[in-house]
Amino acid sequence: MENKEFEFSGLTLNGFVMLFANLAVIALAVICLIIGIEWLDSGDSFMGTLSIVACVILFITNLIWWAGFIQLEPGEARVMMFFGKYRGTFTRTGYYWVHPFITTKKLSLRARNLDAEPIKVNDKVGNPVLIGLVLVWKLSDTYKAMFEIDSQTMAQNPNATTLGGDVKSIMNAFEQFVKTQSDAALRQVAGQYAYDDVDGKTDELTLRSGGEEINQQLEQKLNDRLAIAGIEVVEARINYLAYAPEIAAVMLRRQQASAIITAREKIVEGAVSMVKMALDKLSEEQVVELDDDKKAAMVSNLMVVLCGEDSAQPVVNTGTLNH
């Protein structure tokens, strides 16, 4: 989208200088009032009336000038409008005086944090999962923020978007917009991937194993959605991921079964290797000569000992009794 934001270039004066000037106008108005009363008391109605009129004009001028004072802190900006026309964005920090008929709206450019509550979505294979995110965002384009979207539909308090609206209420309206769009982006990303590769037979990217790559895609989706509002996502990360309660127990048992099978495969693989090594050693060292039946019995016993869950209980053969 085209960047329509530009720096305010209208009349800007030091606020403290104009403050003293305004006080001087008040003093001058009081002097004109006193002189006018004295002229009226002396019978000169023309000069008295002229002084009173000058006093009124100076007083009205003073009231109008008071509306031109603005103050900005670091990380803040003011959108300047002259009878509905955008005149630029003022970002200089300090105390200033601008044309009193320019209407301003203060915005915060500071980074803000959103910790979204986990939402229920369906992953790529249809499993319901709970997923949440945390993101850091800030306003980067004040023109888009104020004029490209209808902020009144975002705010819970409609008065927060008026020109005299409180900056906190205005920023709360943008937070609501960010929250809505972050939920939509999170659903979009979560629907493209499975929660986990339960079978462990593919190298496909999953929500659980994706890590930084999933976070980068989420950040890109959020930036695409929030660019219309002049909002920049500094960082976005998935901070909560779990199966929905209705299938959590079933999926846990499935994961446990898969883990047990994988562990058994490793145990059997190791046991076969150890049995082979034992037979080869006995043969090389000529400790004992075993026929096929005795080798089979030895292999069976070793496999039971090595693959069994409980510790083997040895049976010592002390010989046979002849009757």
Side-chain angles (χ1 to χ4, degrees):
M1 298 179 62
E2 181 183 357
N3 185 8
K4 300 179 181 180
E5 180 187 81
F6 57 87
E7 187 69 21
F8 176 71
S9 58
L11 176 64
T12 305
L13 300 176
N14 185 281
F16 294 102
V17 173
M18 288 302 299
L19 178 62
F20 287 117
N22 228 20
L23 295 176
V25 170
I26 294 177
L28 185 59
V30 173
I31 293 174
C32 289
L33 178 62
I34 295 174
I35 293 176
I37 293 175
E38 291 180 352
W39 280 109
L40 291 174
D41 290 341
S42 65
D44 193 340
S45 58
F46 176 76
M47 293 300 296
T49 303
L50 187 62
S51 297
I52 296 297
V53 171
C55 172
V56 173
I57 292 175
L58 289 173
F59 182 74
I60 294 176
T61 301
N62 176 262
L63 291 179
I64 294 175
W65 281 9
W66 281 118
F69 291 96
I70 61 173
Q71 178 181 340
L72 274 185
E73 299 177 0
E76 291 183 340
R78 283 184 181 267
V79 177
M80 317 294 278
M81 288 174 287
F82 185 71
F83 292 101
K85 183 178 180 181
Y86 175 67
R87 297 300 302 272
T89 301
F90 190 80
T91 56
R92 285 178 285 172
T93 59
Y95 190 52
Y96 296 94
W97 185 88
V98 297
H99 195 289
F101 289 105
I102 289 182
T103 307
T104 69
K105 183 184 290 188
K106 185 187 291 187
L107 296 174
S108 174
L109 303 181
R110 298 164 182 162
R112 303 173 74 89
N113 184 65
L114 175 65
D115 187 3
E117 291 291 331
I119 59 175
K120 184 185 292 187
V121 301
N122 291 331
D123 66 0
K124 183 179 179 179
V125 296
N127 292 324
V129 299
L130 293 177
I131 186 170
L133 64 79
V134 59
L135 64 90
V136 181
W137 63 276
K138 64 179 180 179
L139 289 180
S140 59
D141 190 318
T142 58
Y143 181 90
K144 292 179 182 178
M146 298 311 305
F147 305 114
E148 294 290 348
I149 58 174
D150 185 5
S151 57
Q152 190 169 4
T153 61
M154 303 184 302
Q156 296 177 353
N157 179 13
N159 295 327
T161 57
T162 61
L163 293 180
D166 170 65
V167 62
K168 183 177 180 180
S169 300
I170 295 174
M171 296 310 297
N172 286 341
F174 288 111
E175 282 188 359
Q176 184 65 29
F177 182 80
V178 172
K179 184 179 185 302
T180 302
Q181 293 301 319
S182 65
D183 284 356
L186 191 58
R187 291 180 186 277
Q188 183 180 2
V189 173
Q192 296 176 352
Y193 303 97
Y195 174 89
D196 196 8
D197 184 9
V198 180
D199 298 328
K201 297 180 180 179
T202 65
D203 296 330
E204 186 178 355
L205 191 67
T206 64
L207 294 174
R208 189 179 178 202
S209 64
E212 193 63 31
E213 187 172 347
I214 295 293
N215 291 329
Q216 289 177 359
Q217 292 190 29
L218 178 61
E219 184 175 327
Q220 181 62 43
K221 295 292 184 184
L222 283 168
N223 274 318
D224 293 342
R225 288 176 172 272
L226 298 177
I228 189 175
I231 296 174
E232 175 189 357
V233 176
V234 180
E235 183 183 23
R237 290 186 175 277
I238 295 176
N239 67 337
Y240 185 88
L241 182 63
Y243 282 113
E246 56 266 29
I247 67 166
V250 175
M251 298 307 294
L252 179 60
R253 287 197 295 269
R254 182 176 179 179
Q255 290 175 350
Q256 289 174 340
S258 178
I260 291 173
I261 292 172
T262 302
R264 285 295 181 187
E265 289 177 352
K266 286 290 184 181
I267 291 173
V268 172
E269 182 181 347
V272 171
S273 177
M274 294 175 68
V275 169
K276 182 178 182 301
M277 181 182 65
L279 292 175
D280 291 342
K281 279 289 184 181
L282 290 174
S283 177
E284 290 176 4
E285 300 293 336
Q286 296 182 353
V287 176
V288 64
E289 292 185 3
L290 300 175
D291 56 20
D292 291 340
D293 292 337
K294 290 182 179 180
K295 284 182 179 181
M298 181 178 178
V299 169
S300 175
N301 292 334
L302 285 176
M303 291 296 292
V304 170
V305 171
L306 294 173
C307 296
E309 294 185 0
D310 299 328
S311 299
Q313 300 294 327
V315 178
V316 180
N317 188 355
T318 59
T320 58
L321 296 176
N322 296 322
H323 297 282

